[in-house]
Amino acid sequence: MNNDIPVQALGPQGEVMAHAVDACVHCGFCLPACPTYALLGDEMDSPRGRIVLMKEVLEGGLDLLDAAPHLDRCLGCQACVTACPSGVPYGELITSFRGWSEPQRRRSPLDRAKRYAILKALPAPRLFSVAARVGQYAKPLAPALPAALRGPLDLLPEHVPAMQPSPPLTPARGQRRGRVAFLTGCAQQALAPNFNAATLRVLARNGIEVVVPEGQGCCGAAALHTGARDEALRLVRANLDAFNPDDYDAILSNAAGCGAGLKEYPVILHGLHDEARAKAFAAKVQDISEYLAGLAREGGLEPFMPASRPLKVAYHDACHLAHAQGVRAAPRELLRMIPGVSIVEIPEGDLCCGSAGTYNLEQPELAGQLGARKAGHILSTTPDLIASGNIGCHTQIQSHVRRQGSPVPVMHTVEVLDRAYRGEL
Amino acid sequence: MTTEKLALTTTSPARKPRSGGGGDNALAAELTRLLGPRKVLSSLAERLSYRFDAIQFGVTPLAVVLPESTEDVIATVKAARRAGVSIVGRGAASGLSGGAAPMQPGVVVSFTRMSKLEIFPERREAVAQPGVITLAVTDAARPHGLIYPPDPASLRTSTIGGNLGENAGGPLCFKYGVTGDYVTALDFVDAEGELHTLTRDAYDLAGLLIGSEGTLGLITSATLRLTPPPKFTRTLMAHFAEVGQAAEAVSAAIAAGAVPGKLEFMDQACTNAVEDYLHLGLPRDAGAVLLVDTDGDDLDTVEEERALVEAACLEAGGVVRRAEGEAEAAALWQARRSVSPALGRIRPQRMNEDIVVPRSVLPEVVRQIRALGDASGLKLVQFGHIGDGNLHPNILFDPRTESTEAVHTLAHEIALVAIRHGGVLSGEHGIGTMKRDFMRDAVDPETMTALWNVKRALDPSGALNPGKILPEEPHA
């Protein structure tokens, strides 16, 4: 759409934003894909509406504070990107916009404290783990606490497991087929250490040597998507220093949100001096399921032990895997390789579960509605097992499925593979 | 004709704080008093979000109402009338002629929350409020062995209210007809705020409201006819070196007696824009692609018709591919549905035509339009429901580097090609603001007077969606 965004004044991110606004023909094909439009049914809480609002703010015709409530409700799920025939890079737009606008926001002290705590705790697994343990003991007090604190407590699992740091090197079993670097993730290490352990075992079993480079940290996505751009740039550069793409066949992530974050590095650094490094880095990034499916095609995977009984697996597409990274087929292909496993598709499968990074901490009400809707749809397929490739979805879905009274196990895709190898499925 | 009249550009002034509503918003306050805060949007961010459709940006409304019942619509119309402001109805705003973009500061009535839908399988009918999503009707009817055939490309987004306002068609309309053919009754609120129920007996006043683009009344409910879907469908794709050959194949196939369920075409630029989006392996080098469904309850006839179309395509120099299975057919039709928005990949803005010409002149018309496009130096593409003679020539342009006056001139020339060949200006997208200037070429003065008399009879103060369809009368 036509715009008068003062690109020069906004710098390299201005180019990114103006390009995205240009590409939108305001056709409305994105509306049915948008979770907040599904819940609220109004134009300003749709992708098309948000693009118009961002354009108006950037042009100077609308105050940021007027647009902010609607922009804050965006989950960043990018379902609209999948739905958009015009190729609008909406994710790049909203991320850049949040980075540009955050320094201008006036937030309440409680709001600021919460954001500060999230941004400090998320990238620091040990701190997060301690916080989660404290939270675990505070859970019984939740009903007496302010809503801002209740949300995070609701999401904590009943039992916060012990940390299991990943070894710096996991050798390949048998003949070595490849060498990869692995990003261990942040919250995931504290909440679900088994995801990483399973990942290392499955890779090693298939002849892959896994390096966990020293000095790696948070991918920066959480900071970036909440608008803390300077913090994000610091984290991004630390990772560019830690991972030398020339040393590895691939750089792997097993958390969809982190993987999408890593693939976004060239956009974050667009127009800055590390842009070329970021491109070389991002070109090597793959989700664990993409990489394993690639191995399966080139020479195959070690055979899986059959499941002990026929298993109906409801595979949930994490938005950051399906929409942001375009990875849909690979996880399904892998799960189907396990004898006895069949996949069921979830109604309204493209709609976000409401987790969306820090969304369920910042917009607990909408996140809760989406979580309940997703859990209902998943349980309607009467699955024996729920699989997904993202820690955020995992926590959200588990919490809502339990709330609806179902004991169905929820696992990471790679955990299912690992169990199949161990004959525990 | 000025470029301003064409209104191809955003009317918003940039980098200038706009009025937050302040003094104007006595109207919003009154509506809030009448309807409650849930149903009225009055902040600037909210109102800015309701000033466009899929082709054009208009004026920021003073207030937006999200009615939940017919009573809410009546109260809104009466309040707007007391305040002396205009009223624009709006569905999903996926329209392609500027129909839902307000041209004056007034009230926008957005029907998205009036989405009640009831299916009556025993009488093969659905009763839908205007905010029902088009596809939802078929989704709800299918378990009863019925479908709702009108299938605009935007069927996942667009609403029944919008479809009625524009008398929307779609690929199926070649054999099965357009929205208006499926309406048996409707309720509407007139410019005075009175509710009426129309059937199609006596004077076909329902027919008058259908396709009136919200200029004669606000439709609040419609009774829609449902039909059983054809038992068998077969899909075929053919591609040609040149767009005229595709049109020859269409004329020949229909002359040979084929009545395909769908018969669509897209030219090379369209195919490539879609291919960039869906990566289906469409023939990027072809000058034109035809997509054809033959359908019916007798498989032999369906196959026979496909063979007739296939022969006509081969005769015209085409290469034919039969879709194997439903998945491939569905992918091809998704490709066709995505053409219009995918064109945004080529240039940020477009002028969208919606002409209909007799099928006998199709080859000549598409070739003449192609030649006009080539001579203009602008990017012109063609696609559409070629089986109906309904063509969508689109001029794609960048207003920062290309002259909107040249765009308008080319659009006018294309409209004249249609009129010269016995055609009309709009098949399904409406006249809106985009083709309003061409109406004088298409309609003789006496008929225009008759149209104005109808408008004045139903909307004497001109409050309903002003600035659409009818050009101002010279002596008005």
Side-chain angles (χ1 to χ4, degrees):
Chain A
M1 74 183 77
N2 282 349
N3 64 79
D4 290 305
I5 295 170
V7 177
Q8 301 306 325
L10 297 171
Q13 294 297 305
E15 276 173 34
V16 174
M17 294 189 279
H19 165 69
V21 171
D22 261 350
C24 175
V25 297
H26 38 101
C27 65
F29 273 42
C30 55
L31 301 191
C34 177
T36 55
Y37 185 76
L39 293 180
L40 301 169
D42 54 41
E43 183 71 38
M44 57 280 176
D45 293 303
S46 75
R48 177 174 65 173
R50 289 190 182 104
I51 294 173
V52 171
L53 292 180
M54 285 188 265
K55 169 187 110 80
E56 298 285 346
V57 172
L58 292 168
E59 287 177 343
L62 179 69
D63 195 293
L64 172 63
L65 287 179
D66 290 345
H70 308 293
L71 302 177
D72 288 351
R73 281 182 206 144
C74 170
L75 295 120
C77 70
Q78 303 201 40
C80 52
V81 174
T82 303
C84 177
S86 309
V88 176
Y90 175 87
E92 296 178 7
L93 173 61
I94 187 103
T95 301
S96 304
F97 187 89
R98 284 177 169 163
W100 170 79
S101 61
E102 188 55 33
Q104 306 168 46
R105 292 290 290 274
R106 278 162 285 170
R107 292 181 183 275
S108 72
L110 181 63
D111 206 13
R112 274 210 308 275
K114 193 169 82 177
R115 290 172 67 82
Y116 181 82
I118 294 169
L119 289 179
K120 281 294 163 202
L122 262 186
R126 275 171 212 290
L127 179 60
F128 190 90
S129 179
V130 171
R133 272 154 206 284
V134 172
Q136 194 185 336
Y137 292 110
K139 255 174 111 80
L141 305 172
L145 294 172
L149 296 175
R150 225 163 37 225
L153 288 183
D154 277 353
L155 290 167
L156 281 181
E158 291 302 324
H159 170 71
V160 178
M163 290 271 288
Q164 292 175 22
S166 302
L169 182 92
T170 305
R173 267 173 64 171
Q175 201 188 351
R176 197 177 89 163
R177 289 171 74 185
R179 182 171 194 258
V180 300
F182 178 53
L183 181 96
T184 51
C186 306
Q188 176 170 295
Q189 287 187 67
L191 293 177
N194 190 47
F195 290 7
N196 286 358
T199 302
L200 297 177
R201 283 193 293 268
V202 169
L203 285 168
R205 188 173 198 119
N206 283 288
I208 306 300
E209 178 177 283
V210 190
V211 179
V212 175
E214 208 182 323
Q216 66 167 288
C218 169
C219 67
L224 192 71
H225 294 159
T226 48
R229 186 169 159 82
D230 289 345
E231 176 72 2
L233 280 174
R234 195 180 62 73
L235 295 166
V236 166
R237 291 204 161 104
N239 278 334
L240 289 181
D241 291 339
F243 291 83
N244 180 0
D246 296 338
D247 294 346
Y248 311 106
D249 302 330
I251 298 167
L252 300 187
S253 161
N254 62 2
C258 307
L262 299 177
K263 288 178 179 177
E264 250 181 346
Y265 280 10
V267 181
I268 304 167
L269 290 172
H270 176 68
L272 302 179
H273 70 274
D274 285 325
E275 189 176 355
R277 266 174 93 197
K279 280 185 178 158
F281 172 89
K284 283 275 168 81
V285 175
Q286 286 189 49
D287 181 72
I288 179 71
S289 65
E290 266 181 297
Y291 184 73
L292 288 172
L295 286 184
R297 281 189 289 270
E298 298 156 16
L301 293 183
E302 286 294 307
F304 294 100
M305 308 263 281
S308 55
R309 64 193 169 99
L311 275 184
K312 194 155 76 167
V313 177
Y315 175 74
H316 162 76
D317 279 302
C319 295
H320 278 101
L321 206 47
H323 299 305
Q325 300 186 54
V327 176
R328 291 159 188 277
R332 290 178 170 81
E333 280 168 28
L334 292 169
L335 291 169
R336 277 199 198 99
M337 283 178 205
I338 305 169
V341 164
S342 62
I343 309 275
V344 280
E345 292 300 327
I346 300 165
E348 243 181 39
D350 276 342
L351 208 67
C352 179
C353 68
S355 171
T358 56
Y359 195 82
N360 46 20
L361 304 180
E362 304 205 57
Q363 302 277 345
E365 197 178 314
L366 292 174
Q369 287 180 36
L370 288 169
R373 186 160 164 160
K374 179 61 75 180
H377 280 318
I378 292 176
L379 294 177
S380 77
T381 67
T382 61
D384 300 306
L385 185 73
I386 301 164
S388 146
N390 193 40
I391 179 69
C393 310
H394 181 91
T395 323
Q396 171 88 341
I397 288 172
Q398 192 161 46
S399 149
H400 281 276
V401 162
R402 294 292 172 269
R403 239 175 264 182
Q404 294 184 17
S406 165
V408 183
V410 185
M411 290 184 204
H412 191 289
T413 308
V414 83
E415 265 189 303
V416 184
L417 304 180
D418 181 48
R419 288 204 183 202
Y421 276 133
R422 291 142 69 98
E424 292 172 7
L425 204 61
Chain B
M1 265 165 238
T2 65
T3 49
E4 196 187 303
K5 230 181 182 176
L6 181 62
L8 286 168
T9 52
T10 311
T11 49
S12 63
R15 267 182 298 292
K16 192 176 76 182
R18 292 191 196 89
S19 148
D24 301 340
N25 261 347
L27 174 65
E30 165 72 355
L31 287 165
T32 308
R33 192 183 65 75
L34 290 168
L35 302 168
R38 237 180 76 76
K39 299 176 194 168
V40 183
L41 305 177
S42 58
S43 82
L44 182 61
E46 293 167 335
R47 292 183 289 118
L48 283 172
S49 303
Y50 286 87
R51 67 195 171 101
F52 52 83
D53 68 1
I55 203 85
Q56 189 170 27
F57 273 65
V59 172
T60 306
L62 299 172
V64 179
V65 173
L66 298 162
E68 291 173 9
S69 66
T70 302
E71 290 68 36
D72 292 343
V73 179
I74 293 171
T76 305
V77 170
K78 289 187 170 166
R81 189 175 154 74
R82 284 194 297 276
V85 301
S86 62
I87 302 156
V88 180
R90 185 184 188 273
S94 55
L96 292 168
S97 63
M103 292 293 110
Q104 293 178 7
V107 179
V108 166
V109 182
S110 173
F111 282 100
T112 45
R113 286 189 194 158
M114 282 181 67
S115 55
K116 202 173 144 204
L117 172 67
E118 288 175 284
I119 305 289
F120 299 94
E122 67 287 356
R123 54 177 219 251
R124 290 189 176 177
E125 277 181 345
V127 176
Q129 286 189 321
V132 170
I133 303 291
T134 312
L135 182 63
V137 184
T138 283
D139 282 347
R142 211 180 273 283
H144 305 286
L146 297 167
I147 59 163
Y148 172 68
D151 61 342
S154 57
L155 83 173
R156 288 171 201 282
T157 313
S158 64
T159 61
I160 289 296
N163 287 186
L164 290 161
E166 306 292 330
N167 198 7
L172 275 172
C173 72
F174 173 54
K175 185 167 174 180
Y176 296 94
V178 295
T179 302
D181 297 318
Y182 289 84
V183 177
T184 55
L186 50 82
D187 291 351
F188 84 104
V189 174
D190 70 14
E192 311 271 326
E194 301 298 328
L195 178 68
H196 306 271
T197 294
L198 304 174
T199 59
R200 313 207 66 165
D201 312 328
Y203 296 128
D204 183 10
L205 291 183
L208 191 60
L209 263 288
I210 297 161
S212 69
E213 306 182 26
T215 62
L216 301 180
L218 297 170
I219 294 171
T220 55
S221 174
T223 305
L224 306 170
R225 205 158 52 80
L226 305 172
T227 66
K231 286 203 183 77
F232 304 99
T233 301
R234 292 290 179 266
T235 301
L236 169 151
M237 184 179 82
H239 63 269
F240 302 84
E242 178 254 331
V243 70
Q245 289 176 321
E248 279 167 9
V250 168
S251 293
I254 294 170
V259 188
K262 304 177 183 173
L263 219 170
E264 300 282 311
F265 91 116
M266 43 199 197
D267 73 4
Q268 188 171 14
C270 297
T271 312
N272 280 288
V274 172
E275 190 57 18
D276 288 342
Y277 169 43
L278 294 172
H279 314 291
L280 293 170
L282 299 172
R284 281 185 180 273
D285 295 334
V289 169
L290 273 188
L291 268 177
V292 187
D293 266 5
T294 55
D295 64 13
D297 293 340
D298 175 55
L299 187 57
D300 289 343
T301 315
V302 173
E303 291 284 11
E304 212 172 282
E305 285 196 67
R306 177 157 77 166
L308 281 178
V309 178
E310 192 170 338
C313 290
L314 292 171
E315 179 67 21
V319 178
V320 175
R321 178 175 128 195
R322 291 175 168 221
E324 301 300 337
E326 275 177 36
E328 191 182 351
L332 290 173
W333 285 109
Q334 193 200 348
R336 169 60 190 90
R337 269 199 293 278
S338 306
V339 165
S340 181
L343 293 173
R345 290 172 184 264
I346 300 173
R347 292 281 192 284
Q349 198 134 2
R350 65 203 175 103
M351 171 87 189
N352 166 64
E353 296 257 16
D354 177 30
I355 57 173
V356 187
V357 299
R359 278 186 290 265
S360 54
V361 298
L362 274 171
E364 202 180 326
V365 166
V366 293
R367 283 185 178 125
Q368 278 188 22
I369 292 172
R370 183 68 267 152
L372 283 173
D374 291 344
S376 71
L378 290 161
K379 185 92 189 162
L380 178 123
V381 306
Q382 298 190 81
F383 61 99
H385 315 296
I386 197 165
D388 298 291
N390 185 187
L391 308 175
H392 297 311
N394 271 234
I395 307 161
L396 312 176
F397 64 102
D398 186 337
R400 287 165 301 199
T401 54
E402 287 163 309
S403 147
T404 48
E405 220 162 315
V407 171
H408 191 268
T409 306
L410 176 57
H412 197 190
E413 283 170 355
I414 294 169
L416 292 174
V417 170
I419 293 164
R420 268 203 309 276
H421 288 86
V424 296
L425 293 181
S426 170
E428 53 173 354
H429 296 165
I431 302 294
T433 56
M434 301 299 282
K435 281 151 290 193
R436 186 176 173 235
D437 287 342
F438 310 148
M439 279 290 274
R440 279 189 226 289
D441 299 311
V443 176
D444 62 76
E446 290 72 24
T447 308
M448 187 67 83
T449 304
L451 294 179
W452 264 112
N453 287 341
V454 170
K455 167 74 175 168
R456 283 205 202 89
L458 282 160
D459 179 25
S461 61
L464 294 176
N465 208 2
K468 309 294 165 68
I469 309 183
L470 302 180
E472 292 303 325
E473 286 176 304
H475 307 296

